[in-house]
Every structure is written in structure tokens, then in C-alpha cells.
Amino acid sequence: MKTNKEAFGDYLLLEKKYSAHTVQAYLNDVVSFESFVSESFEQESIDLVNYSQVRSWIVFLVEQGISNVSINRKMASLKAFYRFLLKSKQIEINPMLKHKALKVPKVVQIPFSEKELKDLLSEIDFPVGFQEVRDKLIVEMFYVTGMRRAELIHLMIKNVDLSSGVIKVLGKRNKERIIPILPMIVNQIRVYIKERDSLGDIEDFDYFFISKKGLKLSESFVYRLINSYFSRVSEKVKKSPHVLRHTFATHLLNNGADLNSVKELLGHSSLASTQVYTHNSLAELKKVYKGAHPRGD
């Protein structure tokens, strides 16, 4: 018979469609809380804890120097765990019912400017060859599709449809979405595929982006690639695939795209997730308004 934690893991993986990595993170948080309750209250089961015990864990984590962001993530894991126990009728009262997330300072994501993208893609010399063609295409794909790093890494060659000018990506919770690609990117993809085919034996053939050895790319490799290239044209502190995703959304909104369209392109389940990208667009709007209005001086 499965334990509550094992059943919870199966629920997240099979019903909620969370990735194996996310499921493990949730379970690690539940196990950490279980250890705390055992040591602090000599209580073996966490099925019937009360909120004061949860509060004690929060105080303990704060005293350990854990950030509010990390604590909120742990609390989200507990909330999901107890919702599952309630749903499966293993408890009658959810101890996390009235929990409120700790306040965290809002971190403003600063996108790359259009000039920085232009400088990178037009002025930096990308030598001819498989790796260089692939690297430039990766930068372009992030910028013209807004896809996540994991989505780019797991992009399948069968899901790149050059005749229709679209790609199909597998997003969070295994949700598929179709993203259009620009004609100029279609041409670059053709060049990349030609270079890719010249590699000969490819072990991870199903994956679109691969290493020179024919293997699927790692998340750390893609992060280092983006960070390295943008370090040449940008002094921003954070230079990552996620900043490129943020840049994609911001530039679309700045140039007149409506929020719902950007939401669909990003693969967000609600507008609330997309609205985080609008603050830069609002800043741009204020700038235009101030410059155009007669009383703007």
C-alpha cells in the first residue's frame, strides 16, 4: 500500500501533469516539514498537524536565513499536499486553509532593448559552422517565439513545420501550443538543418537542437550560451533565457500586440501571469504620452 507522500507524488505527476523535477521538489518540501515536526513535536505523522506547527516551521526557516521566496515555495508544496489529503478524504480539516504568503519585494525583470538584440544579431560575427549556426538560431528562436528554456531543449524535430511556418512546443503540465515563426527564421532553420545533417551519427535524433556530438542540449549549456552572447552587448545583471522570454513579450506589447495574443503565445493559463510583462509597456506608453502631449514638457 502506498504512503500518502507516494500517492501525492503520483497525483502531481499523473493528474496535475507536473514534471518529475517539480514533483520531486514538492516531495522534498513535504519531507523537510515531516522531519521538523518529528524533531520539534515528537510527532511521526504530519497528516493531522495544526497551523501553529506550520507557523513554527516558518519561524525556524526564517531564523535559518531562508528567503521569503523560498519559504513561500515550501508553503505552496504543503498547501498542495493538504489539498490532496482533503480531496482524497484522508483529513477533514486543511491546516493550510488560512495561510497567507509572506511578503516579498517585487523584482522588476529588465528586458533587453531592441538595440541590444539588433547589436547582437547583426553586428556580432557568428562564424560559419554547425555550432555557430545553432547558437545564433537558439538566440533567434527565444526572441521570436518567447518559448521557455525547457521547451526549446525538448523541441522535437517532427514538430518544426517549415511549410506552415509554425512549431509545436510542449509547455508546462504537458500542454501543447502552436507558435508561428517568421519567414526569416524559416530560412535560418533550413541552414541549421543542413548543418545538422552533416554531423552524421546523431544519438538524440528526435530532438531539434543538439550538440556537436549529436546529444540533446542541457539546461546549463543553454543558459551559459545566452549569458555569454549577451554579455557582449548588454551590461544588465541578469542575462538568461527567461529574460529573452520577457523581452519577447515586452517588445510585442510595446509594438501594439494585445495582451490576450501575447498570453496565447507564451502559453499562460491566465492573463494574470501575462500582466507581469506589462509594466515595461506602460513605461513606454508614458514616455510616448509625455513626448506627444502638448502639456508634456
Side-chain angles (χ1 to χ4, degrees):
M1 186 174 178
K2 291 186 177 181
T3 65
N4 285 343
K5 292 192 295 294
E6 289 172 334
F8 175 55
D10 288 345
Y11 165 74
L12 294 178
L13 194 64
L14 303 175
E15 290 193 38
K16 301 296 285 183
K17 305 295 184 184
Y18 287 177
S19 69
H21 177 78
T22 300
V23 172
Q24 192 56 57
Y26 273 59
L27 291 175
N28 288 344
D29 291 334
V30 172
V31 169
S32 294
F33 179 57
E34 188 175 51
S35 297
F36 173 79
V37 169
S38 176
E39 293 173 9
S40 301
F41 300 98
E42 297 183 352
Q43 181 177 327
E44 294 305 316
S45 173
I46 58 170
D47 293 359
L48 298 175
V49 300
N50 54 56
Y51 186 62
S52 66
Q53 291 171 308
V54 177
R55 286 289 303 172
S56 295
W57 191 39
I58 293 173
V59 171
F60 171 77
L61 293 171
V62 170
E63 290 175 346
Q64 296 299 305
I66 307 299
S67 71
N68 283 9
V69 172
S70 295
I71 292 173
N72 283 343
R73 194 210 71 211
K74 294 178 186 295
M75 294 306 115
S77 298
L78 284 192
K79 287 179 84 169
F81 177 64
Y82 286 112
R83 277 199 302 267
F84 166 73
L85 293 185
L86 193 67
K87 183 179 180 181
S88 55
K89 301 189 185 314
Q90 297 179 69
I91 61 173
E92 295 182 358
I93 299 174
N94 183 348
M96 298 294 293
L97 190 60
K98 295 183 179 180
H99 172 76
K100 292 184 179 179
L102 303 182
K103 290 184 178 180
V104 295
K106 288 186 177 180
V107 178
V108 177
Q109 289 277 3
I110 302 175
F112 298 117
S113 67
E114 292 186 35
K115 181 181 183 303
E116 286 171 330
L117 265 300
K118 182 180 178 182
D119 289 347
L120 175 62
L121 296 170
S122 64
E123 296 182 17
I124 287 183
D125 183 28
F126 288 84
V128 177
F130 167 74
Q131 292 181 106
E132 292 75 17
V133 169
R134 178 203 60 198
D135 292 355
K136 187 173 184 180
L137 181 59
I138 286 175
V139 174
E140 292 267 27
M141 287 285 271
F142 274 130
Y143 182 50
V144 302
T145 67
M147 67 171 66
R148 301 176 177 92
R149 176 172 52 175
E151 292 171 346
L152 180 132
I153 289 170
H154 292 96
L155 178 64
M156 310 302 281
I157 196 162
K158 67 180 182 181
N159 291 333
V160 178
D161 186 347
L162 297 183
S163 60
S164 299
V166 297
I167 59 174
K168 181 165 69 175
V169 300
L170 192 63
K172 288 185 175 180
R173 304 186 190 181
N174 293 323
K175 287 170 58 179
E176 290 185 344
R177 72 181 185 282
I178 304 296
I179 306 176
I181 47 178
L182 302 173
M184 59 173 287
I185 300 301
V186 171
N187 293 333
Q188 289 184 34
I189 289 174
R190 293 189 198 280
V191 174
Y192 167 72
I193 289 175
K194 186 177 179 180
E195 292 285 348
R196 185 183 187 276
D197 289 344
S198 70
L199 293 178
D201 292 335
I202 299 175
E203 185 173 332
D204 291 331
F205 184 83
D206 291 338
Y207 294 97
F208 182 73
F209 286 111
I210 54 174
S211 71
K212 195 172 184 178
K213 294 181 179 179
L215 301 173
K216 184 181 74 166
L217 302 180
S218 68
E219 291 199 359
S220 59
F221 173 85
V222 174
Y223 176 87
R224 289 196 305 271
L225 185 151
I226 296 300
N227 187 274
S228 173
Y229 278 111
F230 276 93
S231 292
R232 307 184 196 185
V233 297
S234 176
E235 295 183 356
K236 290 180 173 63
V237 174
K238 192 169 183 181
K239 298 177 277 287
S240 69
H242 185 71
V243 174
L244 259 179
R245 177 172 161 85
H246 184 68
T247 301
F248 163 82
T250 302
H251 288 186
L252 281 180
L253 291 166
N254 283 348
N255 285 281
D258 69 274
L259 200 59
N260 268 308
S261 297
V262 176
K263 165 184 169 291
E264 293 301 318
L265 289 168
L266 291 172
H268 286 160
S269 56
S270 71
L271 272 178
S273 300
T274 314
Q275 285 170 336
V276 69
Y277 298 104
T278 62
H279 68 87
N280 289 296
S281 303
L282 182 58
E284 183 71 16
L285 186 62
K286 286 179 178 178
K287 180 180 171 184
V288 171
Y289 173 71
K290 186 177 180 181
H293 197 281
R295 298 295 298 275
D297 293 337

